[in-house]
Amino acid sequence: DQRFEAWYDAALLGSDPALAGQSCFLLSKLGNKPPRQDSKTKLWQALRKKDQIVQVRLQAAEALARLGDEKILKQLLVYASSGYADDRLIAISGLEYLGGPDVFAMLTTLADDPQIEVQLAAIRALGKLADETNLELVRQCLHYEDPQGDTQAADRIRGLAVLALGRIGKKTDSSLLYRAMADRSQYLRLAAARATIDYLKRKDR
């Protein structure tokens, strides 16, 4: 419904970073075709907006990568080297859609990141290019326990491990995915359902 295009652009280019970031993500889902054939143009506009905050720049960059805009690669590689783990996670999400030797090199580096969440996200993004060492780490993290006893933190890491398993798991790992779908945590059950869909779509399992 194109009646809301101006309203949407106001959110995308507005001052609320949460709305602007979500608008970037949704534009990547709408694609760069009618009725929003200007999605890439609008995302570049959001990214280059004067005094734009880094959070929205990152979301716009990730959205452009989802749309296959290779011109964003250089910036995503910079974000992937950020000192903040959340920045690296968003950058990984975008790099996954671009591919190529530079992306492979960066994802391989991030698969050894000091933050376990970043490691798991990078391994998932590597997909069939991940190695056996990566797969073993993913399997171990399915049983992760937080040192401080934080169940939400543990579930987050287990969920990332389950999502990675859906992309790189072997045939023998299917039982681990089904087991996760019966977990006490709703978050983990949802992650396992998504991972199982990824697993079933693969032809290399």
Side-chain angles (χ1 to χ4, degrees):
D1 191 333
Q2 291 175 289
R3 291 176 300 169
F4 298 97
E5 192 169 312
W7 174 88
Y8 192 97
D9 290 348
L12 175 71
L13 301 170
S15 57
D16 186 323
L19 288 178
Q22 187 70 358
S23 298
C24 289
F25 176 74
L26 291 174
L27 267 189
S28 74
K29 291 290 188 181
L30 285 170
N32 201 57
K33 55 188 178 182
R36 287 308 310 242
Q37 62 268 34
D38 62 347
S39 292
K40 288 184 182 180
T41 302
K42 291 293 183 181
L43 286 167
W44 279 109
Q45 191 176 345
L47 191 147
R48 291 167 172 160
K49 180 186 172 187
K50 185 180 179 181
D51 299 325
Q52 184 66 278
I53 67 168
V54 174
Q55 177 190 348
V56 178
R57 288 183 194 276
L58 263 167
Q59 293 283 357
E62 192 253 5
L64 283 163
R66 284 177 174 267
L67 294 175
D69 192 333
E70 295 183 356
K71 295 192 294 294
I72 199 61
L73 175 58
K74 187 175 180 180
Q75 279 183 269
L76 271 181
L77 291 172
V78 172
Y79 292 138
S81 302
S82 167
Y84 297 98
D86 286 346
D87 292 356
R88 300 197 297 278
L89 285 168
I90 295 174
I92 287 169
S93 180
L95 289 173
E96 177 183 347
Y97 290 89
L98 296 177
D102 291 337
V103 170
F104 174 73
M106 178 57 77
L107 290 177
T108 302
T109 300
L110 292 170
D112 289 322
D113 193 87
Q115 292 285 335
I116 188 64
E117 295 98 326
V118 176
Q119 288 185 47
L120 292 169
I123 290 169
R124 179 174 184 256
L126 280 168
K128 63 182 180 181
L129 298 176
D131 59 29
E132 193 62 36
T133 304
N134 298 145
L135 179 55
E136 190 52 42
L137 174 65
V138 168
R139 289 170 177 152
Q140 291 173 9
C141 287
L142 293 173
H143 311 288
Y144 180 84
E145 295 289 345
D146 183 70
Q148 280 74 47
D150 187 332
T151 56
Q152 286 189 329
D155 285 349
R156 173 176 166 81
I157 289 175
R158 289 180 185 177
L160 287 167
V162 165
L163 288 169
L165 193 67
R167 290 284 182 86
I168 71 170
K170 307 295 184 186
K171 192 172 183 179
T172 52
D173 292 312
S174 59
S175 61
L176 298 174
L177 291 172
Y178 293 124
R179 196 177 306 162
M181 282 197 288
D183 193 86
R184 57 168 177 75
S185 164
Q186 183 183 39
Y187 168 76
L188 200 55
R189 293 197 301 271
L190 287 167
R194 167 63 190 273
T196 301
I197 292 171
D198 287 342
Y199 176 82
L200 294 172
K201 285 181 176 179
R202 284 170 43 208
K203 297 179 181 178
D204 62 332
R205 52 190 166 84

